[in-house]
Amino acid sequence: MKKLVVGNLKMNLINLAERERYFKLLEKELSGKDFSNTEVVLCPPYVHLESFKKWKNKKIKLGAQNMFAETKGSYTGEISPTMLKAFGCEYVILGHSERRRYFSEKNEEISLKVASALKNGLIPVICVGETKVQREEHRVLDVITEQVAKALVNVSRTKAGGIVIAYEPVWAVGSDVTPTTHEIMEAKVLIRKILVALFGKKYAEKVRILYGGSVKAVIAKEICVDPGMDGVLVGRESLMPHEFLKIVAIIDKK
Ligand code: PEP
């Protein structure tokens, strides 16, 4: 199974000049590099999907940061999985903590999106993770169990191989604080156990489990390679192609 590095560009590249500058830097950094063990995915804002598709570098796949569960119709302001497919997306981030926090997304809504993404041929990268308070109250197990089980409630075991789970403790996102290698490993074991209970061992093993939250090249080994994660979800560092590809290179080498 290939490793996976997903870059979440969030609400950045705010004009055409910034986008062009980003493409130039990416081209420069990608030149001469080959990542044979790793899939690399970038998730730009919707408005940039078409230009990313046209830019089309074979080394980078395309993803979106969110989607609506319906495929078309009167849903003002929403974007459907069929649109994402048409614009070249293979992946979609779902249930990101910023969506849960600022847009009140609940597990039930996320589960509809997960099912719809799978049905429409997209690979959902489902974000789960506890807040600081939940960790302090020793509720990590309950929170993650509920988030994973509810997100996957409409998913059959044969679809498990098309799912990615990103363990992103909310307190580590955008904070420059990260869990220890051991804590990340514990979360991974817990998520795998939940998946085994839902799908059985054979299918559960097909799910890639990533770590996300303040990932940087200098700590990529201790937060991804050492705890045996299948890759990472990267926020801020994905805006800097040089740093982003350094992370990819570390994970690609293992
Ligand atoms: C994220 O938003 O998914 C994320 C991991 O952000 P950052 O790397 O900036 O903490």
Side-chain angles (χ1 to χ4, degrees):
M1 191 156 55
K2 281 201 175 191
K3 300 278 185 245
L4 176 63
V5 176
V6 181
N8 176 8
L9 297 173
K10 306 197 182 185
M11 199 173 71
N12 293 298
L13 307 184
I14 59 164
N15 55 41
L16 299 184
E18 285 195 7
R19 184 177 77 199
E20 288 317 303
R21 194 170 152 268
Y22 188 76
F23 280 146
K24 276 203 185 110
L25 287 173
L26 253 186
E27 286 285 2
K28 181 170 157 248
E29 295 296 335
L30 281 168
S31 140
K33 294 198 174 84
D34 183 29
F35 305 114
S36 46
N37 302 312
T38 311
E39 274 181 78
V40 186
V41 179
L42 279 175
C43 303
Y46 296 134
V47 290
H48 296 316
L49 283 175
E50 188 168 11
S51 62
F52 271 73
K53 183 174 183 246
K54 282 188 183 142
W55 171 67
K56 230 188 194 162
N57 187 305
K58 283 203 307 287
K59 296 173 193 169
I60 305 258
K61 295 184 173 178
L62 199 53
Q65 300 172 19
N66 183 33
M67 56 166 245
F68 192 54
E70 298 295 332
T71 51
K72 74 180 278 193
S74 303
Y75 301 103
T76 303
E78 294 295 334
I79 302 286
S80 79
T82 32
M83 290 167 167
L84 297 183
K85 280 293 277 186
F87 283 82
C89 289
E90 294 177 55
Y91 287 81
V92 60
I93 298 170
L94 294 175
H96 191 280
S97 58
E98 286 156 12
R99 301 239 24 115
R100 294 180 193 259
R101 180 173 174 196
Y102 301 123
F103 304 97
S104 309
E105 277 196 16
K106 299 280 177 284
N107 291 324
E108 290 69 20
E109 185 182 349
I110 294 161
S111 81
L112 293 176
K113 293 185 179 191
V114 169
S116 175
L118 288 168
K119 193 170 165 207
N120 289 288
L122 292 165
I123 299 175
V125 179
I126 305 161
C127 301
V128 300
E130 79 288 355
T131 62
K132 191 163 183 285
V133 172
Q134 288 165 337
R135 176 162 279 269
E136 284 163 0
E137 291 174 351
H138 308 289
R139 291 167 52 211
V140 178
L141 190 144
D142 290 346
V143 171
I144 294 181
T145 303
E146 186 180 16
Q147 287 177 338
V148 174
K150 287 201 170 154
L152 301 180
V153 76
N154 298 313
V155 177
S156 69
R157 55 165 57 190
T158 54
K159 295 265 187 182
I163 289 168
V164 177
I165 306 275
Y167 171 58
E168 290 214 313
V170 180
W171 48 275
V173 173
S175 67
D176 290 331
V177 184
T178 51
T180 62
T181 302
H182 184 71
E183 286 167 338
I184 296 173
M185 205 154 37
E186 276 180 344
K188 184 194 163 181
V189 170
L190 167 63
I191 293 168
R192 192 72 73 195
K193 271 191 193 155
I194 301 165
L195 294 169
V196 170
L198 289 172
F199 298 135
K201 193 165 183 291
K202 182 176 141 203
Y203 291 99
E205 277 169 359
K206 295 179 196 276
V207 180
R208 283 179 287 184
I209 304 176
L210 314 184
Y211 168 75
S214 296
V215 176
K216 290 186 171 41
V218 282
I219 50 167
K221 184 176 175 297
E222 70 189 69
I223 59 176
C224 180
V225 182
D226 294 348
M229 304 307 279
D230 300 309
V232 283
L233 176 50
V234 183
R236 285 158 295 166
E237 299 291 283
S238 64
L239 286 164
M240 294 177 275
H242 180 67
E243 294 304 316
F244 182 61
L245 294 177
K246 263 207 262 179
I247 296 169
V248 176
I250 291 163
I251 288 166
D252 193 58
K253 263 197 224 105
K254 288 177 274 173

